[in-house]
Amino acid sequence: MMSRQYYQRGNLVEAEELDNVVALRMRVDEQGRAVAQAEIELGTNARGAMREAGIDDETTNDFARARWVFVKPNQQTREAFATGEDVSGAEAAGKVIRRPNGRIGIATDVLNVQLKPTLSEEEAARELEAVGLHVVSKLGFAKNLYEVRAPAAEDALAASVELHENDRFIFAEPSFIEHIPARFGPSDPKYTQQWQWKNSGADGGTPGADVHIEPAWDRTFGAGIRVAVIDNGFDTEHEDLASGVDPTSGFFSDGVVGTTFTQNTSGMPDSDHGTFCAGMAGARLGNGVGGVGAAPECGLMLVACLPDQVGAQTTLARAVAYAADPSKEVPETDPKDGADILVSSLGPNGAEWDLTRVMELALEFAATNGRQGKGLPIFWAASNGEDVDISLDEVVSHPDVIAVVLSTNRDQEDNAARGPEVELIAPGVDVFSTRSGGSYGTDTGTSCAAPCAAGCAALALSVNPQLTRDQLRDVMHRSADKIGESGVVYDAAGHNDDYGFGRVNASQAVALADGMVP
């Protein structure tokens, strides 16, 4: 080990250079494939030396995927380093530095510098040239901020020390190439039981038969998106839900004359079913309890109706319209406070469900006028039951409703309504979520799959909130994975009557939404 120094945020840092290891970035061939290390013969593999230095194989492997290999240098490589020449056969080279926190970084001759803001751009350029720095790029988020190379210096660490004494520079810091893995892995203690988010293959499952949500979480947790969950009731004080409950939440209650709406959670009826669904969509993350919902930073607009599971579609219709525009029930509420996503898992199983005109009007109103005219995406759980014709359920098969069925941990459909109106399939068999009374548990049904899909859609919408309802619907269709047993056929439009357009893929949905122009 060799002691090294550099400056970071104005402080002198003491570090160690692994003097028996160097980092080389392999060239690629004409097809863009990395040239094998054996072919460039720049040194012997240093994996053992890296382990001795306390560097784990995961870090080494991730560097290798980026074409950086660690080698014990041969004579040719040592001479090239000593003279500052390019290493033959390598695209780039660097020294391996272990910093005080134990993490390694590859130091090349690249560093970031900022000159005093009183200097004009022309004066800054002359100063950079005077000290032998070559501009790689000008960084536009602060004045006189540059990424530069220091070819005349030993490396970026040495240049950092040399430039620290130059009063025209505010700072000069090495630009280490470092391992920055995906950070997020929920610490919630029950997360490992939620195969719907990450299926490891336990309990007979198929690894990867999940909604691929962790890469999506690297981008977003759904903050800024309000998800309306319409159900019989909710445990709004549940430890994994309470902090996410939106103030627009409320409930419908039967009175002597008709049904009234209360915009409040005080007095809201409780329901194990609704609590489970709300948790699938938006149980909180990182709070040390329970599991996680698909969009754990979304706002949960919990709307309770039909608390005893008996009532008129009129009440359900009012709930749908309220989710789209709260002022329809509470005039003093700003219409802009409506939901961005709506999901409901109410309806009879294995039976026909006639659509009333008032309900149809509510669906059309929400789909057209929700989100200030961009349209409210409406997710609804299809009927459970083998070979049920989805068209017989006129609510879920309505053109403005996204019908969701359920999949197993082996990426197979599991006895739900089928037909051309099925749009998406999502995990719904033995999935884990919140339950009333502050508890948790597993459940099975399309009721679980619909809020799973809706939560994933909330993630996609959060990265591009200007998408219309139809655009988001298209994103969810096109990003879905074609799953199913051997022999399952999707038609020319990519649709199957049992699987819809496929199993929800949150990662692909977020990526697709992020690149769309509204």
Side-chain angles (χ1 to χ4, degrees), residues 454-472:
C456 293
L459 296 179
L461 190 60
S462 73
V463 300
N464 197 342
Q466 297 306 311
L467 293 179
T468 66
R469 174 199 66 144
D470 291 341
Q471 287 176 317
L472 180 64

Side-chain angles (χ1 to χ4, degrees), residues 205-218:
T206 300
D210 52 57
V211 296
H212 303 334
I213 207 164
E214 288 192 348
W217 282 339
D218 286 338

Side-chain angles (χ1 to χ4, degrees), residues 16 85 94 96 113 129 143 191 208 212 227 236 277 304 306 325 351 353 358 387 401-402 413 430 487 492:
E16 296 177 330
E85 299 176 359
V96 183
V113 301
E129 184 179 2
K143 188 175 182 183
Y191 178 70
H212 303 334
V227 177
T236 58
C277 293
L306 313 178
D325 181 356
W353 194 16
V358 69
D387 292 330
V401 170
I402 300 169
E413 62 88 20
D430 292 328

Side-chain angles (χ1 to χ4, degrees), residues 173-392:
E173 298 179 352
S175 181
F176 289 112
I177 299 163
E178 56 184 310
H179 183 216
I180 307 177
R183 174 174 285 175
F184 186 72
S187 59
D188 307 72
K190 303 294 186 182
Y191 178 70
T192 56
Q193 300 181 40
Q194 295 186 291
W195 70 262
Q196 64 265 32
W197 311 142
K198 186 175 183 179
N199 190 340
S200 64
D203 300 322
T206 300
D210 52 57
V211 296
H212 303 334
I213 207 164
E214 288 192 348
W217 282 339
D218 286 338
R219 177 71 173 82
T220 176
F221 295 117
I225 299 299
R226 186 181 287 115
V227 177
V229 184
I230 297 178
D231 213 285
N232 302 133
F234 308 89
D235 179 0
T236 58
E237 296 182 358
H238 195 291
E239 62 183 359
D240 231 358
L241 298 175
S243 65
V245 176
D246 193 89
T248 54
S249 299
F251 58 97
F252 290 85
S253 54
D254 291 331
V256 177
V257 182
T259 301
T260 59
F261 178 76
T262 303
Q263 192 183 63
N264 205 321
T265 58
S266 178
M268 178 182 283
D270 193 355
S271 163
D272 198 45
H273 184 268
T275 303
F276 196 98
C277 293
M280 287 289 290
R284 303 294 96 176
L285 68 92
N287 55 5
V289 297
V292 185
E297 289 186 357
C298 75
L300 289 169
M301 182 185 193
L302 306 181
V303 183
C305 67
L306 313 178
D308 55 3
Q309 302 185 45
V310 175
Q313 280 191 33
T314 305
T315 305
L316 187 55
R318 287 174 61 185
V320 169
Y322 173 79
D325 181 356
S327 71
K328 297 305 176 186
E329 293 290 336
V330 185
E332 62 268 27
T333 302
D334 191 333
K336 294 180 180 179
D337 289 337
D340 299 293
I341 302 280
L342 185 155
V343 61
S344 182
S345 298
L346 300 178
N349 277 313
E352 299 181 19
W353 194 16
D354 295 332
L355 177 67
T356 66
R357 180 59 175 152
V358 69
M359 183 65 180
E360 183 177 39
L361 289 170
L363 292 172
E364 292 172 353
F365 169 81
T368 303
N369 298 299
R371 299 176 58 236
Q372 295 80 61
K374 290 188 286 291
L376 179 62
I378 302 171
F379 292 78
W380 212 290
S383 171
N384 293 288
E386 188 173 0
D387 292 330
V388 175
D389 183 352
I390 193 172
S391 68
L392 300 179

